């Protein structure tokens, strides 16, 4: 059994240290615990040591897990690839979606969001490294998508998300930071053009320090909190 108290304390300490060395205000970066492939009991254990925001990648897994934890006051963030025929459960179960990368998905999420739940918070996923087979909108197509999504009635555009390409062996700190700096630049550009946003979802177990240094407001951490994932499921 994993010692969730210790894991949570370790990751929180890394986050606070990263804020300090980057001159960021203490507590300005939110920790999103990514529980994909881990059972509801593990999420519950982490919730009991004070973790409140959780990320999930797979619709079917989330549909099983989230109701089992309904007695806890948790915030659920969808961070996985989205098939347009799976938008309804996402629009119903989650408070945030970080992985919107096309108009059709945004439009469906807005249409299917139950009004009584209030707006669904959205980050647009950007393919910052320009990888061919990867989800995320290409930077050159970001502006028209952001402008359109910002006008959808049941969504609130909050910011941008990215998963950089894996680093080459022996890459240094500055190559780790480059994609995050590029996402931050896109974020600032959209804000200058009048899109109101406050969130940069970037950084994972291995690179959260680099992301915080470049302005992350939310880091998505799986392995460092839950241990390694079950490869049979993922
Ligand atoms: C799995 C996942 C994470 C967490 O990755 P770790 O390296 O385990 O911290 C973060 N973001 C997304 C989109 C993921 O799919």
């Amino acid at each position: 059994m994993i010692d969730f108290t210790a894991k949570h304390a370790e990751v929180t300490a890394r986050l606070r240290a990263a804020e300090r060395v980057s001159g960021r205000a203490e507590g300005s970066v939110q920790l999103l615990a990514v529980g994909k492939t881990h059972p509801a009991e593990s999420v519950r254990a982490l919730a009991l040591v004070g973790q409140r925001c959780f990320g999930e990648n797979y619709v079917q897994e989330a549909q099983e897990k989230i109701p089992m934890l309904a007695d806890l006051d948790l915030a659920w963030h969808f961070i996985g690839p989205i098939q347009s025929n799976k938008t309804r459960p996402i629009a119903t179960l989650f408070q945030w979606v970080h992985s919107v990368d096309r108009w059709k998905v945004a439009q469906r999420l807005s249409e299917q969001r139950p009004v009584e739940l209030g707006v669904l918070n959205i980050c647009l996923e950007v393919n910052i490294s320009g990888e061919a087979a990867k989800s995320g909108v290409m930077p050159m197509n970001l502006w028209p998508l952001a402008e359109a999504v910002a006008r959808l009635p049941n969504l609130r555009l909050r910011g941008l998300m990215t998963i950089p390409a894996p680093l080459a062996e022996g890459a240094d700190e500055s190559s780790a930071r480059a994609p995050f700096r590029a996402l931050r630049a896109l974020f600032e550009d959209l804000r200058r053009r009048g899109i109101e946003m406050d969130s940069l979802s970037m950084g994972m177990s291995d690179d959260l320090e680099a992301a915080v240094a470049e302005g992350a407001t939310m880091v998505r951490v799986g392995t460092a909190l839950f241990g390694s994932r079950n490869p049979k499921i993922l």
Side-chain angles (χ1 to χ4, degrees):
M1 184 66 186
I2 289 174
D3 182 349
F4 287 104
T5 307
K7 292 271 189 201
H8 191 255
E10 251 168 58
V11 173
T12 304
R14 275 177 69 189
L15 205 48
R16 296 292 93 89
E19 287 168 350
R20 240 183 345 265
V21 298
S22 308
R24 308 275 311 273
E26 181 170 330
S28 56
V29 186
Q30 203 177 42
L31 175 60
L32 182 65
V34 177
K36 62 175 179 252
T37 81
H38 298 288
E41 304 86 78
S42 298
V43 172
R44 181 175 296 277
L46 207 48
L48 291 179
V49 301
Q51 180 61 32
R52 212 185 141 258
C53 299
F54 288 89
E56 287 292 334
N57 288 62
Y58 306 108
V59 173
Q60 198 190 327
E61 186 184 345
Q63 281 176 303
E64 290 164 17
K65 248 151 101 174
I66 295 177
M68 297 172 74
L69 298 159
D71 58 308
L72 301 169
D73 182 27
L74 304 179
W76 291 98
H77 295 233
F78 191 80
I79 62 173
I82 305 175
Q83 291 168 262
S84 57
N85 63 348
K86 294 279 182 61
T87 49
R88 191 177 297 278
I90 295 174
T92 310
L93 285 168
F94 290 86
Q95 284 88 65
W96 283 71
V97 182
H98 293 221
S99 43
V100 172
D101 63 358
R102 58 198 192 278
W103 172 242
K104 185 180 179 188
V105 161
Q107 212 178 14
R108 289 174 67 94
L109 289 172
S110 181
E111 273 166 22
Q112 294 168 346
R113 177 67 169 175
V115 179
E116 66 275 15
L117 295 181
V119 293
L120 181 61
N121 297 290
I122 300 293
C123 291
L124 299 178
E125 181 177 353
V126 179
N127 185 347
I128 203 70
S129 311
E131 295 165 279
K134 179 124 164 208
S135 49
V137 58
M138 289 292 178
M140 62 182 286
N141 300 324
L142 177 60
W143 163 250
L145 180 63
E147 197 188 27
V149 170
R151 284 199 236 112
L152 284 169
N154 300 317
L155 306 186
R156 182 169 163 215
L157 181 57
R158 297 293 297 268
L160 304 180
M161 181 272 240
T162 200
I163 311 168
L167 287 173
E169 188 93 33
D172 60 3
E173 168 79 8
S174 91
S175 14
R177 285 174 61 162
F180 300 133
R181 185 171 325 135
L183 192 72
R184 168 78 180 268
L186 292 171
F187 175 80
E188 297 299 349
D189 181 57
L190 291 181
R191 294 215 295 188
R192 269 193 303 274
R193 294 160 91 167
I195 308 268
E196 275 178 49
M197 300 186 298
D198 58 14
S199 301
L200 269 173
S201 167
M202 56 189 197
M204 315 199 291
S205 292
D206 290 339
D207 57 10
L208 71 88
E209 284 83 5
V212 169
E214 297 295 344
T217 65
M218 242 187 286
V219 293
R220 309 177 308 269
V221 176
T223 311
L225 286 169
F226 287 100
S228 53
R229 286 183 279 278
N230 184 342
K232 281 213 187 87
I233 304 180
L234 184 62

